[in-house]
Amino acid sequence: MDVTEANDDSFGIEVILPQGGKTAPCCPHGPTLLFEKVSKGGEKGRRFYACSACRDRKDCNFFQWEDEKVSEVRLLAREAEKQSKRPLVTQQEYCNRLRKFSALPLDEKKFCQDCQILLLPGLHEAHSSHRSMAVSPAQLTRPSVLLRPLDNKKSNAQYLFTERSSHFLLDSLAALGFTKVLCVGTPRLQELIKLRNLDQKHKPMKSLLLDIDFRYAQFYSQDEFCHYNMFNHHFFDGEASSAVLQAFLQEADGQKVVMVADPPFGGLVKPLANTFSLISQSWRKLQTSDSSNTEMPMMWIFPYFLEPRILECFPSFTMLDYQVDYDNHSLYKHGKTGRKQSPVRLFTNISPKDVVLPKDEGYRFCSICQRFVLFLNKHCAKCNVCPSKDGREWKHCSTCGKCVKPSWKHCQACGRCALPAHPCGPGQAQDGCFSCGSREHKRKACPLKDSHRISSHRSKAKSGGKNVSRHPLVKPKAKRMSGGARRAKKMAALSK
């Protein structure tokens, strides 16, 4: 179900987080999420369950109304579908295969590029018509290079850190004294940690990779990899994998744990924040009383324009200026300038002044803000911050009382700064409350946000529980934009 935010100006989709111990139905990707359509006027629609991991019904067609009664036949069909989507090989079997594969002579180590699996000698004949390649010991330690990245942008697209970003992250974590790294969707970081441990030139670190891509199970032990869905905190192997995480989060003999997460950029912030909060709660329960009120140290890698949503869920987080880049993404590259710079940043609850950004890449320390910033991010004496979010030098607007992007100009008609070619006039501004239109607050803080639901329930009760529409039966239907088109349009507007 494509639930990116909204398909036009008339409605949006909101995620309802689980509460009160209510169990959600499951799809092949674990427990589903509860969604609700919210109209522009604040009126709420019928709630429904859809897949947490896939934003397109073509990838996972699960759909169920919240109040729907599901027949036994349909439940059995769902269970059969879930079983058909399970991996044919268990993680334990993959671990046994890896031990045997590692002991093979070099000329017998093969990898099937079509099936994306390591081949033991007994499987060579069955895969003889497929494309295969020899595997060196060095390649075996870099599975993200060996495996073909998944490329479905609406479910499991994989963008992999460059060497530059991977080394920066690991160097920073080591300098901060962390000895255990929980890698949530960051396979490149896991690889680099293991490679450094082999060099024996640095203090050894432990790592655990949580990832929805089960192919990585071929390369790691059960204490190093768990098949995991970060959108619903679901372990596909159940309690056994959950116990692995619990054991990893324990700190003993001076060990320090940190989580580094790199979710898909199209993922919804609320369910991700809920998952990271659950992991933090598990970590907190394992700590001594001295640290029982603190958050688990975290780094969340996400685009800068989603900063307000992340800070709404984690007020203790700070967005760092460091630009993360990726090997297999055409846009998110280091060294570009202007609007072509990577929009991906680090959000963390670690003190910003302690995360030292590289001087040779153009970062400097702002003694007033007490954090490292990009050299073009000049401190504004009026705002008392280094305001830039996108790497360009921003300018201060005295009328708005804040700094804005260099391409924006103040519009007297709208009473705000915007692009010169923006739609001008009353009602064109996108800021403010989605429900009542007020510019003074957002929808979540709207005092009227629940009034439509109450009135809706009352009207249903008067009509015998029927879902009576308040809108005309015949209404011109606006053409829906695809989720990818909406995100591209939003990113283009934010980067100008």
Side-chain angles (χ1 to χ4, degrees):
M1 189 70 183
D2 194 338
V3 290
T4 46
E5 285 304 323
N7 68 343
D8 54 36
D9 289 338
S10 62
F11 71 85
I13 299 294
E14 182 179 354
V15 182
I16 310 299
L17 295 178
Q19 53 187 351
K22 188 174 182 180
T23 304
C26 292
C27 71
H29 305 94
T32 54
L33 293 178
L34 181 62
F35 297 96
E36 181 177 61
K37 184 184 292 187
V38 183
S39 299
K40 186 69 175 177
E43 184 177 349
K44 298 188 178 183
R46 196 174 175 187
R47 294 181 174 185
F48 61 92
Y49 290 102
C51 179
S52 63
C54 303
R55 292 175 288 118
D56 194 323
R57 294 281 298 277
K58 295 177 182 177
D59 301 315
C60 182
N61 62 2
F62 187 98
F63 182 91
Q64 178 183 317
W65 295 113
E66 181 188 25
D67 54 0
E68 182 179 0
K69 292 184 179 179
V70 183
S71 67
E72 189 68 26
V73 173
R74 192 173 169 191
L75 289 173
L76 290 173
R78 280 183 186 171
E79 188 60 33
E81 182 184 12
K82 284 190 289 184
Q83 293 298 326
S84 69
K85 297 289 179 66
R86 290 186 64 83
L88 299 176
V89 181
T90 66
Q91 188 169 354
Q92 179 61 58
E93 290 172 331
Y94 267 144
C95 290
N96 294 336
R97 282 190 184 186
L98 180 60
R99 283 193 290 268
K100 295 177 182 178
F101 190 90
S102 300
L104 290 173
L106 187 59
D107 60 346
E108 292 187 20
K109 292 180 178 178
K110 301 289 183 182
F111 176 76
C112 180
Q113 294 172 286
D114 292 336
C115 301
Q116 295 282 285
I117 59 171
L118 298 172
L119 299 177
L120 293 174
L123 297 173
H124 288 182
E125 181 63 31
H127 294 259
S128 59
S129 61
H130 297 178
R131 293 174 300 162
S132 63
M133 59 179 286
V135 181
S136 67
Q139 287 174 312
L140 199 59
T141 63
R142 300 299 303 270
S144 70
V145 178
L146 200 59
L147 296 171
R148 182 171 56 247
L150 302 176
D151 57 5
N152 189 330
K153 294 182 179 180
K154 290 194 175 184
S155 58
N156 52 15
Q158 291 175 324
Y159 297 118
L160 304 165
F161 295 148
T162 57
E163 289 293 306
R164 163 190 167 269
S165 291
S166 298
H167 280 277
F168 165 76
L169 285 169
L170 188 51
D171 290 341
S172 299
L173 298 176
L176 291 165
F178 293 108
T179 56
K180 300 173 82 173
V181 184
L182 180 62
C183 302
V184 184
T186 57
R188 280 277 167 91
L189 186 58
Q190 162 102 339
E191 293 171 7
L192 185 57
I193 291 171
K194 292 180 66 66
L195 285 170
R196 282 201 182 180
N197 289 341
L198 291 174
D199 288 341
Q200 297 182 345
K201 295 179 181 179
H202 302 81
K203 185 177 180 180
M205 300 177 76
K206 293 183 179 180
S207 61
L208 171 63
L209 175 62
L210 307 182
D211 205 289
I212 200 167
D213 187 355
F214 190 64
R215 297 177 300 171
Y216 282 101
Q218 302 175 82
F219 302 90
Y220 298 116
S221 69
Q222 290 175 295
D223 292 332
E224 296 173 322
F225 172 82
C226 293
H227 193 199
Y228 179 76
N229 181 354
M230 71 175 79
F231 288 99
N232 56 7
H233 193 47
H234 174 66
F235 291 91
F236 289 89
D237 288 334
E239 290 298 325
S241 292
S242 180
V244 171
L245 174 62
Q246 291 293 319
F248 185 84
L249 294 178
Q250 292 180 2
E251 296 179 344
D253 302 324
Q255 293 177 323
K256 288 176 62 179
V257 180
V258 63
M259 182 184 78
V260 181
D262 186 27
F265 300 144
L268 296 170
V269 171
K270 275 179 66 175
L272 288 169
N274 184 59
T275 288
F276 301 156
S277 294
L278 291 173
I279 294 176
S280 182
Q281 290 171 21
S282 298
W283 171 85
R284 191 183 302 118
K285 290 177 183 177
L286 296 168
Q287 307 312 306
T288 61
S289 57
D290 295 337
S291 57
S292 58
N293 294 322
T294 59
E295 285 182 330
M296 176 184 180
M298 289 184 273
M299 283 189 176
W300 180 346
I301 299 166
F302 229 44
Y304 73 82
F305 45 79
L306 290 169
E307 179 187 20
R309 298 185 188 177
I310 292 178
L311 296 186
E312 183 181 346
C313 299
F314 289 114
S316 62
F317 274 33
T318 303
M319 187 181 81
L320 307 182
D321 272 22
Y322 184 79
Q323 298 180 356
V324 181
D325 56 338
Y326 297 84
D327 264 345
N328 57 327
H329 197 291
S330 58
L331 298 178
Y332 300 167
K333 297 289 188 183
H334 175 63
K336 295 187 177 182
T337 58
R339 290 184 286 122
K340 296 183 179 180
Q341 300 176 72
S342 171
V344 187
R345 302 289 185 270
L346 297 177
F347 295 85
T348 182
N349 55 2
I350 300 169
S351 176
K353 68 177 189 217
D354 295 333
V355 185
V356 181
L357 305 189
K359 185 178 180 180
D360 59 351
E361 293 183 14
Y363 298 97
R364 61 178 179 83
F365 184 74
C366 176
S367 58
I368 303 174
C369 295
Q370 287 291 293
R371 69 183 183 97
F372 288 83
V373 296
L374 200 59
F375 72 101
L376 284 177
N377 191 1
K378 306 290 179 63
H379 190 87
C380 175
K382 296 179 180 179
C383 296
N384 198 30
V385 293
C386 293
S388 177
K389 309 290 185 184
D390 60 7
R392 296 179 290 171
E393 184 176 354
W394 286 20
K395 61 184 181 181
H396 187 84
C397 174
S398 299
T399 309
C400 292
K402 64 178 182 179
C403 289
V404 297
K405 295 180 179 181
S407 55
W408 287 18
K409 296 184 181 299
H410 190 82
C411 175
Q412 296 296 338
C414 296
R416 65 187 181 102
C417 285
L419 288 168
H422 72 284
C424 190
Q428 296 297 333
Q430 298 299 313
D431 296 334
C433 179
F434 187 79
S435 296
C436 68
S438 171
R439 297 287 297 277
E440 302 300 320
H441 59 261
K442 294 292 187 180
R443 195 196 72 80
K444 290 187 177 180
C446 181
L448 303 177
K449 70 174 184 177
D450 294 323
S451 61
H452 294 279
R453 174 168 288 281
I454 295 170
S455 61
S456 176
H457 286 321
R458 286 176 179 170
S459 63
K460 284 183 181 180
K462 290 180 181 178
S463 62
K466 295 180 181 179
N467 190 10
V468 180
S469 173
R470 300 184 182 183
H471 303 288
L473 292 176
V474 180
K475 180 181 178 181
K477 190 172 181 181
K479 185 178 179 181
R480 291 190 62 176
M481 293 175 65
S482 69
R486 292 196 300 277
R487 287 191 299 279
K489 182 179 178 181
K490 182 175 180 180
M491 289 182 69
L494 286 167
S495 64
K496 290 181 180 178

